[in-house]
Amino acid sequence: MKITVFLAAFALAAPGAAANAAANLVVNGDFSDGNTGFTSQYTYAAPTSGALMPETRYTITTDPRSVHPYWVRVGGDNSIMVVNGATSAGKTVWQENIATIAGQAYQFTASAADVCCNSAHPGRYAASELEFEVSADNFAHFTTLATIDTAPPKDAGQFQTATATFTATGAMELRVVDALTGRVGNDFALDDIGVFALPGTGGGSPASPGGADPSAVPEPRSWALMIVGFAGLGAAARSRRRRMLGLA
């Protein structure tokens, strides 16, 4: 089953709901702790000049241009995962086991951007198609929660945010794969990956991750506002990161 990506393009709503949102079950989803908390079938390279010239490499940095001469600069000083896309199919870009609880509903959110290319690039551009997948059996079977497609070079540096909801069948695995394998231009960044329990939708105890307090089940209007608030988290995170193409 594939759920169509929802691009969060609205301002943060229901600030009270957002402020009271559940904790993110994804460890280091904003990459502020560097290369920790997740696994990858790509090869890690320290963020030095030219480090991501070969395909199937990634690093954690604040500036894609600092690790590849044809990529764009981005504003701000927030860490992101930047990736030189693989030329062979099936390699996992990012993966983490998530401590979800059976019967509990969750909100998924993630952001991604094309980072190719700046004005020095000689041409030829391949897109990326990032698929965000969830599984309960180590990806013997999986569901695609959302996709983000890039269109280099016109969208270079512009983050898109994808959101989806799902109900867990127990502890689950979350991963990102790139469905396209073009060699030139298939370069992207990931940020703000999150999984949040939706209040009042599961059978966990109030003290457990994802647990719902039966006395605090929201009214329909409040529940809708909380969903908007979750989506707004992604929009708010991206609002400070709206990136323009870097030519310097």
Side-chain angles (χ1 to χ4, degrees):
M1 177 179 70
K2 179 173 286 189
I3 300 174
T4 304
V5 60
F6 178 77
L7 302 182
F10 49 86
L12 178 62
N20 295 320
N24 188 0
L25 298 184
V26 175
V27 177
N28 193 28
D30 62 0
F31 301 102
S32 58
D33 290 332
N35 185 38
T36 63
F38 62 94
T39 61
S40 177
Q41 292 181 339
Y42 282 55
T43 301
Y44 174 75
T48 58
S49 178
L52 262 62
M53 288 294 285
E55 286 77 22
T56 323
R57 287 197 174 194
Y58 78 92
T59 196
I60 310 300
T61 184
T62 60
D63 182 9
R65 180 71 179 273
S66 69
V67 294
H68 197 295
Y70 292 141
W71 292 356
V72 297
R73 298 187 188 280
V74 298
D77 57 358
N78 305 295
S79 295
I80 53 177
M81 180 181 186
V82 292
V83 184
N84 193 329
T87 56
S88 58
K91 289 187 177 295
T92 298
V93 177
W94 176 99
Q95 181 171 311
E96 185 175 322
N97 294 334
I98 308 297
T100 47
I101 295 174
Q104 171 74 53
Y106 293 88
Q107 178 86 33
F108 160 80
T109 183
S111 296
D114 168 35
V115 296
C116 184
C117 296
N118 60 44
S119 60
H121 190 267
R124 296 177 56 214
Y125 303 99
S128 304
E129 183 180 292
L130 304 178
E131 297 186 348
F132 301 88
E133 301 173 350
V134 67
S135 172
D137 55 9
N138 199 30
F139 294 98
H141 304 88
F142 64 88
T143 296
T144 300
L145 293 174
T147 61
I148 292 179
D149 298 322
T150 66
K154 65 182 180 181
D155 66 346
Q158 299 177 21
F159 273 77
Q160 302 177 53
T161 298
T163 65
T165 58
F166 68 95
T167 300
T169 58
M172 304 187 80
E173 300 88 33
L174 179 66
R175 75 176 180 182
V176 183
V177 295
D178 182 9
L180 301 181
T181 55
R183 176 179 172 272
V184 179
N186 179 19
D187 310 305
F188 53 91
L190 293 171
D191 198 9
D192 296 324
I193 303 172
V195 173
F196 304 89
L198 290 175
T201 62
S205 66
S208 302
D213 181 352
S215 66
V217 176
E219 295 295 327
R221 179 177 178 276
S222 298
W223 202 89
L225 287 174
M226 278 188 276
I227 293 178
V228 172
F230 276 118
L233 288 174
R238 293 276 58 80
S239 67
R240 62 191 174 95
R241 288 181 181 245
R242 288 293 173 187
R243 296 174 165 96
M244 299 298 293
L245 178 65
L247 302 181

